[in-house]
Amino acid sequence: MSELDEYQRRITAAMDRVAKGLDRMNAAPAEPDEDIVQALEEERLANAQLNERIRTLKDGYEGELSALRDQVEAGAAQMGQLDLDLQRLRQANEQLSEACEKLREANAEGLADPKLIDTALVAELESLRATRAVEMAEVDAVLSALAPLVEATEAEDDPAQDMPEETDETDAAKTGDTN
C-alpha cells in the first residue's frame, strides 16, 4: 500500500506541475515569431507586386487588343471598298464588252453608228476609272499593312539620331584650320 501512496503522490505532483505550466502558458501573451512575421510581410509585399504587374500587363494587353480590333475594322472597311470597286470594274467591263460587240456587228454590216462609238468610249472610260479605283484600293491596303513595319523601323533608328553631329567648326578646330 505504501507503494500506491507513493505513486498517488507522484501523480498528483506531476499533475500540479502540468497545471502550473498551463497557467504560465495562458498567462504569457502569445507573441508571434519574428521570423514568421517577417516572412509574412515579405509574402504580402511580393503578392502586392505581382498583383500590380498583373494589372499592368492586363492594361497593356487590353490596349494591344483594342489596337488590333481597330486594325481589323480598318482592314474590313478597306476590303469592303475594294469589293465595291471590283464589282464596279466587272460591271464596266461587261458594258465595254457589250459595246464592243455591238460596234463589231455594226462594222460587219457596214453601218458606222456614232452613237455606238460614243457608248463604247464611255464604257471604256468607266472601265479605266474602275480599274484605277481598284488599284488605289490595293495600294491603300498595302500601305496600311506596311505602316506598322515602317514605324517599328523608325523607332529602332531613333537612338542613332540622338547622337550629336559634328559641325564644320568642330572639324576645323580638330584639324587646326582656322581660315
Side-chain angles (χ1 to χ4, degrees), residues 98-117:
E98 289 173 9
C100 287
E101 183 63 32
K102 288 180 184 178
L103 195 56
R104 270 190 232 106
E105 289 173 2
N107 194 23
E109 293 175 6
L111 302 171
D113 187 6
K115 192 173 187 180
L116 285 177
I117 294 172

Side-chain angles (χ1 to χ4, degrees), residues 67-125:
L68 288 174
R69 284 183 181 149
D70 292 344
Q71 287 179 351
V72 167
E73 288 174 5
Q78 284 179 337
M79 290 300 117
Q81 182 62 40
L82 183 60
D83 186 45
L84 290 175
D85 291 341
L86 284 172
Q87 289 176 7
R88 182 175 159 213
L89 176 63
R90 287 184 190 114
Q91 184 180 11
N93 284 337
E94 287 176 17
Q95 290 174 351
L96 180 60
S97 295
E98 289 173 9
C100 287
E101 183 63 32
K102 288 180 184 178
L103 195 56
R104 270 190 232 106
E105 289 173 2
N107 194 23
E109 293 175 6
L111 302 171
D113 187 6
K115 192 173 187 180
L116 285 177
I117 294 172
D118 287 345
T119 304
L121 286 175
V122 167
E124 185 176 4
L125 283 173

Side-chain angles (χ1 to χ4, degrees), residues 143-171:
L143 288 177
S144 66
L146 290 176
L149 298 174
V150 170
E151 290 172 1
T153 303
E154 288 175 352
E156 289 175 3
D157 291 342
D158 280 345
Q161 293 176 358
D162 292 338
M163 295 181 63
E165 295 182 18
E166 294 184 10
T167 61
D168 291 336
E169 293 174 5
T170 322
D171 291 339

Side-chain angles (χ1 to χ4, degrees), residues 168-179:
D168 291 336
E169 293 174 5
T170 322
D171 291 339
K174 286 181 179 177
T175 61
D177 187 18
T178 55
N179 287 339

Side-chain angles (χ1 to χ4, degrees), residues 7-70:
Y7 287 136
Q8 185 179 5
R9 185 188 61 76
R10 288 173 78 186
I11 289 173
T12 306
M15 292 193 50
D16 287 340
R17 284 193 307 263
V18 168
K20 287 179 185 177
L22 286 174
D23 289 340
R24 273 189 253 140
M25 283 180 48
N26 288 337
E31 293 183 23
D33 186 16
E34 292 293 325
D35 293 336
I36 293 174
V37 170
Q38 181 67 26
L40 181 61
E41 287 301 318
E42 289 174 1
E43 288 300 317
R44 285 182 182 156
L45 178 64
N47 190 19
Q49 290 172 345
L50 288 174
N51 284 335
E52 181 63 30
R53 182 170 175 149
I54 288 171
R55 189 173 342 116
T56 302
L57 289 173
K58 183 179 176 185
D59 291 344
Y61 288 136
E62 286 175 356
E64 289 177 15
L65 182 61
S66 175
L68 288 174
R69 284 183 181 149
D70 292 344

